[in-house]
Amino acid sequence: MRIATWNVNSVNARLPTVLEWIQAANPDVACFQEIKCVDEKFPREAFEDLGYNVETHGQKSYNGVALLSKFPLSDVRRGLPGDDADEQARYIEALIEAPRPIRVASIYLPNGNPIGTEKFTYKLAWFERLQNHARELLTLEEPLALCGDYNVIPEAEDAKNPAAWAEDALFQPQSREAFRALKWLGLADSHELGREPPGTFTFWDYQAGAWRRDHGIRIDFAMLSPQAADRFRAIETHRDARDMDKPSDHVPVVVDLDLEA
DNA sequence: ATGGTTGGAAACCAA
């Protein structure tokens, strides 16, 4: 079972790039973030033609997440529980009906900048809701992968130049603490399971030659329940995708699980 | 010192 997560930064603006990558990587499941379109505008036929079932939780202009799967999807949940007034499309979850099923979520955590504003408050509140929901899901004691753009730099080694992020919402102590709290519930970071080296980044800004100078950060993760982590086989961070034509500012992260084991 | 979206210029959002 190959599961990928990728913040595509507009699926329609980048459709040829995304299609080229997904055909080459051939994941069983793909979690997209920042599709930046409503459900009706998602180019579902292009992915269905490649053998994917498609479920989206879209929004006009901003945010929006999607789940694509070569296996049937069921038990689809759109939106993160815990705040009925939250209208931002940042969470979709489904059961992947493979021979050995796995529950997968595509997550787009709020950015939270600038700090000291209601945006940062919203980020922390969203993190707390995610903790609460993850706690519920973990009681199922089943294979589970919470994948996406977490918009947090967990450790200094997850940035080329940590000092440059000192005042940024992504590297605030409260953001990092919230991410650790999620981990300590019992979700393993695939990056650690795979022992990827420091300097394995998933995002480089479009500006100021960040890619050319490798001024990246690691903010896209595949978090695994014990039942999934036990079957972890490999992780690949597709750095080469940052050099494609019309690249996203994020690159895909791909994990392989041996669910038959 | 960019790029996407909206809306038909410049503002907002991204991280």
Side-chain angles (χ1 to χ4, degrees):
Chain A
M1 169 71 67
R2 170 169 289 192
I3 302 172
T5 180
W6 193 11
N7 179 323
V8 296
N9 187 18
S10 174
V11 69
N12 284 309
R14 217 168 307 293
L15 187 56
T17 307
V18 174
L19 289 173
E20 180 185 339
W21 175 83
I22 203 168
Q23 289 177 89
N26 196 32
D28 298 297
V29 177
C31 307
F32 290 160
Q33 300 88 39
E34 281 208 273
I35 61 173
K36 291 190 173 180
C37 62
V38 294
D39 296 338
E40 296 72 27
K41 294 282 179 62
F42 189 91
R44 67 165 50 239
E45 294 80 6
F47 294 98
E48 287 171 347
D49 289 347
L50 299 177
Y52 289 98
N53 300 292
V54 177
E55 295 288 349
T56 60
H57 183 37
Q59 180 181 338
K60 187 180 168 81
S61 306
Y62 306 119
N63 311 318
V65 286
L67 278 173
L68 286 67
S69 170
K70 293 194 171 180
F71 299 100
L73 295 145
S74 66
D75 213 2
V76 180
R77 176 189 287 275
R78 291 178 176 77
L80 183 64
D83 181 2
D84 293 339
D86 184 1
E87 295 183 348
Q88 300 190 30
R90 299 178 172 275
Y91 187 91
I92 186 169
E93 166 198 313
L95 186 66
I96 308 297
E97 296 194 340
R100 292 286 297 272
I102 179 168
R103 198 172 302 270
V104 176
S106 178
I107 295 173
Y108 179 44
L109 226 121
N111 172 302
N113 278 306
I115 57 175
T117 69
E118 69 289 342
K119 293 188 177 184
F120 190 61
T121 309
Y122 174 67
K123 180 195 188 100
L124 296 180
W126 209 95
F127 237 134
E128 189 166 341
R129 287 163 58 200
L130 182 59
Q131 289 168 22
N132 291 336
H133 187 53
R135 194 178 290 111
E136 290 292 316
L137 291 175
L138 285 165
T139 66
L140 299 173
E141 300 189 353
E142 64 184 17
L144 168 72
L146 301 182
C147 304
D149 175 359
Y150 280 74
N151 265 319
V152 61
I153 302 166
E155 302 295 338
E157 71 174 35
D158 295 311
K160 180 75 166 192
N161 182 11
W165 302 91
E167 303 304 317
D168 195 284
L170 278 64
F171 199 49
Q172 290 309 294
Q174 299 101 309
S175 306
R176 298 169 61 196
E177 180 181 5
F179 177 70
R180 290 196 300 275
L182 186 70
K183 265 177 52 172
W184 304 146
L185 292 176
L187 289 164
D189 184 344
S190 301
H191 168 78
E192 296 179 13
L193 296 178
R195 294 180 162 76
E196 288 187 306
T200 304
F201 304 133
T202 66
F203 170 89
W204 297 260
D205 201 290
Y206 289 119
Q207 302 184 61
W211 169 238
R212 179 175 51 79
R213 300 191 292 160
D214 194 30
H215 280 197
I217 50 178
R218 188 178 73 89
I219 57 175
D220 298 270
F221 318 134
M223 307 297 293
L224 305 179
S225 71
Q227 294 75 14
D230 205 46
R231 294 160 172 79
F232 171 87
R233 289 296 174 266
I235 181 170
E236 287 179 356
T237 297
H238 285 209
R239 185 182 173 93
D240 289 353
R242 192 62 177 75
D243 260 335
M244 297 178 77
D245 290 333
K246 291 262 292 178
S248 171
D249 40 7
H250 296 249
V251 297
V253 174
V254 183
V255 295
D256 282 293
L257 309 178
D258 186 1
L259 290 181
E260 301 303 320

